[in-house]
Amino acid sequence: MRTRRLGRSTVEVTELGFGTGPLGGLYEPLDDATAAGALSAAWDAGIRFFDTAPHYGIGLAERRLAGFLRERPRDALTLSTKVGRLLVPQDPAGRTDESFEVPATHRREWDFSRDGVLRSVEESLARTGADRVDVLLLHDAEHHFENALRTGLPALAELRAQGVVGAVGAGMHDTELLTRLVREHDVDVVMLSGRWTLLDQRAAHELLPACAERGVSLLAASVFNSGLLSTPRPSPDAFFDYAAASPEVVQRARRVADVCAAHGVTLPEAALAFPLRHPAVAGVVVGMRSAREVRADVAAFGKEVPERLWSDLLAEGLLDPRAAT
């Protein structure tokens, strides 16, 4: 599997990355054996970039990586995690976490201070058993952006200067804030969730041009837009952007699927191929919860997509002209 370098750093990622959100029980519970099987299948398929965060399953995704990492040569893979939420122990009292199907043993506290960043990294290293983090991102800082810039980002730069991490940046869905980050600060990479996909190309307006100009890499996450693009023919009850998709969005996705089918391409194959068409995009990060999902995504990622597909989508008004080339 091909690799690309993140910005001006020395960190490289495989073009297809493994997102560990589902390993934390996103949407539904997941047992240890299935999680381990997914990680092993990803490794066997050549994936060497693994992205996680304390937020995913309030630490469960990071802990599930620990056993996997112990059995693999550390220098052969790239590990990414995030800061901004500290996990504080609490009595679950029979409650389930609001975001993931796990017991609510911890609560999240926003903290982008220097001490909070350092503590978060230390705790992530303890959970994963890793000796270092290759990529460190400010996580979901949309509503804490000024604090994240004032105290969190300098802490990330400090860790990068010390060699504790190799590349730094932020992971969010707000393209305007990420554009400001790229233009005004020294970062290597941004991870964009759901805004550089077949159904949402707003990153082409300002963010991707800024990344290209500044030599910053973009990692495209949520390229299936929460599931709507993950099947050849979207169902009426599919999710889009973490909520039930509107009939209008489902219909647009089906129109895209029809154009794809005319070229012998499925919707998931096109969804995985599209983001990497821009030279600033270093990789696509996909959440996977089982070996079966891994194999399906890897096969879809390997599909050769004809160039004519993109021009036909543009002609049908299904691609933003700024995203078509």
Side-chain angles (χ1 to χ4, degrees):
M1 191 170 290
R2 293 188 300 267
T3 62
R4 299 194 189 189
R5 182 170 293 185
L6 297 181
R8 293 177 293 275
S9 76
T10 60
V11 177
E12 293 190 348
V13 298
T14 48
E15 290 182 335
L16 180 60
F18 187 108
T20 64
L23 300 193
L26 182 64
Y27 299 135
E28 59 185 274
L30 187 71
D31 62 85
D32 290 341
T34 302
L39 290 167
S40 294
W43 181 269
D44 292 344
I47 295 174
R48 295 295 183 268
F49 176 39
F50 297 87
D51 174 70
T52 191
H55 173 56
Y56 303 154
I58 45 179
L60 179 59
E62 289 186 323
R63 292 195 300 273
R64 281 179 162 163
L65 271 173
F68 169 78
L69 293 175
R70 280 196 300 270
E71 299 172 356
R72 306 301 190 284
R74 180 64 184 86
D75 291 341
L77 61 89
T78 300
L79 177 64
S80 169
T81 194
K82 308 178 184 74
V83 298
R85 294 176 176 92
L86 292 175
L87 305 182
V88 180
Q90 66 178 9
D91 181 358
R95 289 176 288 112
T96 300
D97 180 64
E98 70 273 13
S99 301
F100 295 82
E101 290 294 323
V102 296
T105 57
H106 293 70
R107 68 177 185 275
R108 301 167 180 83
E109 289 188 356
W110 290 103
D111 193 334
F112 288 98
S113 69
R114 178 181 180 276
D115 288 347
V117 167
L118 298 182
R119 176 181 160 189
S120 183
V121 172
E122 182 179 359
E123 292 178 353
S124 287
L125 291 176
R127 282 189 291 268
T128 60
D131 60 348
R132 69 182 187 280
V133 173
D134 301 300
V135 183
L136 191 61
L137 305 172
L138 302 169
H139 196 193
D140 294 341
E142 281 87 349
H143 300 297
H144 310 270
F145 196 64
E146 298 305 326
N147 284 339
L149 290 184
R150 186 174 62 254
T151 59
L153 191 59
L156 265 59
E158 179 183 338
L159 292 171
R160 181 179 59 185
Q162 294 171 352
V164 177
V165 299
V168 301
M172 298 190 292
H173 65 262
D174 190 309
T175 56
E176 292 185 8
L177 293 179
L178 285 177
T179 300
R180 177 182 163 193
L181 176 74
V182 167
R183 285 178 172 164
E184 299 178 4
H185 299 276
D186 179 19
V187 296
D188 306 293
V189 58
V190 293
M191 182 178 287
L192 179 65
S193 177
R195 302 293 184 259
W196 182 233
T197 75
L198 283 177
L199 291 178
D200 190 330
Q201 295 121 41
R202 72 187 76 180
H205 299 182
E206 295 187 354
L207 178 56
L208 281 167
C211 287
E213 178 183 342
R214 295 277 292 167
V216 174
S217 293
L218 185 141
L219 295 168
S222 301
V223 296
F224 294 143
N225 283 124
S226 302
L228 186 59
L229 300 176
S230 65
T231 60
R233 192 72 179 172
S235 64
D237 59 351
F239 270 56
F240 173 75
D241 212 10
Y242 302 102
S246 68
E248 293 77 16
V249 172
V250 172
Q251 181 59 31
R252 183 178 180 86
R254 288 179 173 177
R255 290 178 60 201
V256 175
D258 290 339
V259 176
C260 290
H263 291 274
V265 176
T266 68
L267 194 54
E269 290 167 348
L272 287 166
F274 169 75
L276 284 161
R277 287 174 50 75
H278 196 286
V281 177
V284 174
V285 180
V286 180
M288 295 177 269
R289 68 170 51 241
S290 68
R292 181 185 58 80
E293 282 192 8
V294 170
R295 288 190 287 267
D297 287 338
V298 169
F301 185 76
K303 172 74 174 184
E304 187 158 345
V305 176
E307 190 66 24
R308 182 64 183 272
L309 169 62
W310 313 115
S311 58
D312 284 357
L313 287 172
L314 177 63
E316 293 289 329
L318 296 170
L319 275 187
D320 187 316
R322 287 169 286 194
T325 58

